[in-house]
Amino acid sequence: MHMEIAQATDFLGRLLHSKLDQAMLQTLKDELAELLKQRFVNHWDPQQPYRGNGFRAISNFNGQLDPVLVKAALNVSIPPTFIHTHLPRDFVLWIDPGSVSYRVGDHGNIMTLFEDRSRGRITLKMDPSSISKSKALAYIQQPRMSTPVRISPPNSP
């Protein structure tokens, strides 16, 4: 959860970096990160990452700034209208376990900011002496030789 929140707050910081001085921007990002951690505490399930993703979304949609952004801005003495003015219109940021993505516009493409690709992978931790006893594992450990293949571009019409 902490990595995803850090990615989201850094992204929002990049959107606002030319509008606020660096100290105020860092204070806003820190406050927003704390509020998001509190908000997500019972709404974060890595086994079902998309369950509750509407609750974890941050938006500036239909002229309404997300309440968590309003609260973070007020807590650090920044007018929420300032944040609302400088974020893209119809902006949604989804913060899910293992993924952070956003969309600008009602029909815009969803862009991925962060994706943890290590989720779901199985790593083998074995005693090296047991590898030589198993033919299948010995095959996996062998260096693989590859033959270069030349691919020609298609002929022009």
Side-chain angles (χ1 to χ4, degrees):
M1 170 170 46
H2 299 284
M3 177 64 78
E4 292 87 346
I5 290 173
Q7 293 290 327
T9 57
D10 283 347
F11 177 69
L12 289 171
R14 287 192 303 271
L15 292 176
L16 299 169
H17 85 278
S18 64
K19 313 300 186 230
L20 292 168
D21 66 65
Q22 293 306 310
M24 185 60 75
L25 182 61
Q26 189 59 48
T27 306
L28 175 66
K29 287 170 39 177
D30 293 343
E31 180 65 25
L32 182 59
E34 285 305 313
L35 290 173
L36 290 174
K37 288 174 192 174
Q38 293 169 12
R39 183 176 178 176
F40 296 168
V41 94
N42 292 320
H43 298 276
W44 195 266
D45 184 4
Q47 302 304 318
Q48 298 176 335
Y50 297 111
R51 184 176 184 170
N53 75 341
F55 180 79
R56 292 185 305 270
I58 297 174
S59 64
N60 185 24
F61 209 75
N62 289 332
Q64 295 290 321
L65 186 61
D66 196 279
V68 75
L69 288 172
V70 171
K71 187 172 182 180
L74 289 173
N75 288 353
V76 297
S77 303
I78 298 173
T81 54
F82 180 85
I83 305 294
H84 175 68
T85 302
H86 291 86
L87 284 181
R89 297 283 175 250
D90 296 335
F91 168 78
V92 181
L93 177 66
W94 291 278
I95 306 167
D96 297 320
S99 174
V100 179
S101 54
Y102 73 97
R103 182 184 71 202
V104 177
D106 199 18
H107 301 289
N109 292 332
I110 296 174
M111 306 300 289
T112 301
L113 294 170
F114 168 77
E115 188 172 25
D116 183 0
R117 294 185 181 262
S118 67
R119 292 184 53 217
R121 290 191 181 162
I122 299 171
T123 55
L124 241 49
K125 293 184 179 180
M126 307 189 92
D127 177 17
S129 64
S130 67
I131 293 174
S132 61
K133 297 175 187 172
S134 168
K135 290 181 182 180
L137 291 176
Y139 173 76
I140 291 171
Q141 294 297 318
Q142 289 177 355
R144 297 190 183 176
M145 302 299 290
S146 62
T147 306
V149 176
R150 181 182 174 125
I151 300 174
S152 300
N155 294 332
S156 300

